[in-house]
């Protein structure tokens, strides 16, 4: 058997091994960013802060869009800077050219290769924006057209579902935002070991995944910093297991979608320790009142009051850093549910690693 045939045979015999391996790399990636990437991120943040941007626009697609949403919460809460998520078609399809003088445009992309991201960033720079690319590829077209670049240093990611590049993007964006405000980032030093601990509990997630193997639909909800986690968890479940997963802010869930919740379709609640979790409490009470099959990722008291859950070790972790940990058990959940359904999470159907939208 040739080496190529042997490798193909191994992948066939062990579906999901690439995604599993990349999830396991996340503690090391977080450590690398803190040890090697943080000084450069601080330099970029200092240069951008000196230019005093008046507004921030965030540009991304897919998993990176959820990382950008996390940055929006950081920028608005930690800095008080108004932020918006861009609609790239206004530039790429309609040719709009707004005045972006003194506006910071942050484009988040794992590959840095999607044509619409490159085109919209180039147009933003031409319109006077301060442009920053946050990518896993410093040699990418996106990095080339941007004035500034932050390398998330995740290493090659081969599985189609993004895992390590997502958490790496979150940490890089956190360090950048704290750099803009001259904040203390020492709390982030605990993340690699906490991540290692969470990922070491995969057997616990495997047992929980059996509960949801035959789910026909899932709802994921959260508030505040946890909302990007809910959206990313829904994306991971849909692209790996093909289960329709709907992500809602807890506030939006009460405005109509709550009517579809029953005791059959699981509801996953991401409960941060902090103001976001406090804001979600009335939603949790309503879900329990409707007899929902409620799975909670969060503090022990919330998990104990749910149908099932995963206790996060977030004591002493600031609320704004908790999303980097919250997503880990949900990545494992997507992986384990997919394996239990007899599918390969490494290669979801109809998807490509670089999506070339225009």
């Amino acid at each position: 058997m040739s080496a190529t045939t042997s490798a193909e045979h191994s992948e066939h015999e062990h579906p999901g091994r690439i995604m599993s391996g990349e999830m396991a790399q996340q503690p090391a990636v977080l450590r690398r960013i803190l040890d090697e990437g943080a000084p450069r991120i601080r330099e970029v943040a200092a240069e951008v802060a000196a230019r005093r941007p008046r507004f921030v626009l965030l540009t991304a697609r897919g998993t990176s869009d959820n990382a950008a949403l996390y940055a929006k919460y950081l920028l608005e809460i930690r800095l008080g800077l108004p932020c918006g998520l861009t609609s790239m078609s206004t530039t790429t399809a309609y040719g709009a050219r707004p005045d972006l003088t003194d506006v910071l445009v942050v484009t988040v992309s794992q590959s840095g290769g999607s044509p619409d991201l490159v085109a919209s960033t180039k147009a933003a720079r031409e319109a006077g924006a301060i442009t920053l690319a946050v990518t896993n590829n410093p040699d990418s077209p996106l990095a080339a057209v941007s004035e500034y670049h932050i390398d998330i240093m995740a290493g090659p990611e081969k599985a189609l579902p993004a895992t390590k590049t997502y958490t790496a993007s979150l940490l890089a964006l956190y360090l950048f935002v704290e750099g803009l405000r001259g904040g203390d980032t020492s709390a982030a030093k605990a993340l690699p070991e906490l991540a290692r601990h969470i990922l070491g509990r995969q057997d616990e997630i495997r047992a929980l995944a059996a509960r949801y193997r035959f789910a026909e639909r899932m709802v994921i909800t959260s508030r505040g910093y946890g909302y990007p986690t809910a959206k990313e968890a829904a994306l991971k479940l849909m692209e790996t297991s093909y289960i329709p997963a709907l992500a809602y802010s807890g506030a939006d869930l009460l405005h109509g979608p709550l009517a579809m919740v029953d005791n059959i379709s699981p509801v996953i609640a991401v409960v941060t320790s902090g103001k976001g979790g406090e804001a979600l409490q009335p939603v949790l009470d309503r879900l329990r009142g409707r007899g929902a099959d409620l799975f909670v990722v969060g503090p022990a008291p919330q998990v104990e009051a749910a149908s099932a859950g995963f206790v996060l070790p977030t004591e002493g972790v600031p609320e704004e850093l908790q999303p980097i940990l919250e997503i880990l058990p949900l990545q494992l959940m997507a992986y384990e549910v997919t394996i239990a359904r007899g599918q390969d999470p490494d290669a979801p159907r109809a998807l490509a690693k670089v999506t070339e939208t225009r």
Side-chain angles (χ1 to χ4, degrees):
M1 183 181 294
S2 69
T4 301
T5 304
S6 177
E8 291 172 350
H9 176 74
S10 177
E11 289 187 19
H12 177 73
E13 290 296 313
H14 302 284
R17 69 178 184 86
I18 302 175
M19 181 181 177
S20 178
E22 290 173 351
M23 286 190 293
Q25 293 172 25
Q26 290 176 104
V29 171
L30 297 175
R31 174 62 63 199
R32 186 183 308 132
I33 295 169
L34 291 169
D35 291 346
E36 301 174 27
R40 175 56 184 159
I41 295 173
R42 281 196 298 270
E43 289 176 8
V44 171
E47 291 185 31
V48 171
R51 297 173 67 172
R52 302 179 63 85
R54 60 185 173 87
F55 191 87
V56 182
L57 286 173
L58 295 147
T59 305
R61 296 282 193 200
T63 285
S64 294
D65 199 32
N66 299 326
L69 180 59
Y70 167 73
K72 184 176 189 293
Y73 277 91
L74 284 174
L75 287 158
E76 292 187 342
I77 296 170
R78 306 289 287 172
L79 269 74
L81 270 177
C83 299
L85 299 175
T86 61
S87 299
M88 281 171 278
S89 62
T90 61
T91 297
T92 60
Y94 291 92
R97 293 293 183 268
D99 180 4
L100 298 179
T101 304
D102 298 327
V103 172
L104 172 61
V105 173
V106 180
T107 307
V108 186
S109 171
Q110 299 150 43
S111 68
S114 185
D116 58 347
L117 293 170
V118 175
S120 63
T121 301
K122 184 174 183 291
R125 189 171 180 180
E126 292 170 350
I130 307 162
T131 53
L132 167 65
V134 179
T135 82
N136 196 37
N137 183 2
D139 298 320
S140 64
L142 178 60
V145 300
S146 300
E147 188 174 358
Y148 299 101
H149 177 258
I150 288 175
D151 183 358
I152 65 172
M153 307 180 74
E157 189 173 58
K158 297 180 180 179
L160 286 175
T163 54
K164 63 178 182 174
T165 53
Y166 179 69
T167 50
S169 295
L170 296 191
L171 180 54
L173 288 163
Y174 166 80
L175 293 173
F176 172 70
V177 173
E178 288 303 299
L180 289 176
R181 64 190 293 268
D184 179 9
T185 61
S186 59
K189 294 179 181 178
L191 292 175
E193 181 58 25
L194 290 171
R196 186 196 64 77
H197 173 70
I198 292 170
L199 292 168
R201 296 163 61 189
Q202 188 162 357
D203 288 347
E204 185 180 337
I205 290 291
R206 187 175 298 118
L208 290 166
R211 179 186 183 100
Y212 304 114
R213 176 180 179 183
F214 299 108
E216 295 183 359
R217 179 186 68 205
M218 288 189 181
V219 173
I220 301 99
T221 188
S222 191
R223 292 289 305 270
Y225 285 112
Y227 182 43
T229 306
K231 289 175 68 67
E232 175 61 10
L235 177 59
K236 283 292 154 287
L237 282 163
M238 287 189 288
E239 68 183 355
T240 57
S241 69
Y242 315 141
I243 296 174
L246 308 172
Y248 293 100
S249 158
D252 289 332
L253 185 63
L254 297 182
H255 285 266
L258 184 67
M260 71 178 174
V261 173
D262 52 32
N263 61 357
I264 298 175
S265 299
V267 177
I268 298 174
V270 180
V271 185
T272 59
S273 295
K275 293 181 179 178
E278 293 169 7
L280 190 63
Q281 188 58 53
V283 182
L284 299 175
D285 293 340
R286 291 283 297 276
L287 290 169
R288 293 187 187 105
R290 289 187 60 81
D293 180 354
L294 182 61
F295 178 98
V296 167
V297 174
Q302 295 289 355
V303 172
E304 291 164 3
S307 307
F310 186 96
V311 177
L312 280 176
T314 54
E315 185 176 353
V317 178
E319 184 178 2
E320 60 270 16
L321 281 174
Q322 291 177 34
I324 298 171
L325 302 176
E326 289 167 348
I327 191 59
L328 300 177
L330 295 168
Q331 290 174 347
L332 291 173
M333 175 66 76
Y335 171 87
E336 292 293 349
V337 168
T338 304
I339 294 294
R341 289 163 70 96
Q343 295 153 197
D344 184 358
D346 284 344
R349 64 194 181 205
L351 295 182
K353 192 63 180 171
V354 179
T355 304
E356 296 196 356
T357 48
R358 297 183 184 273

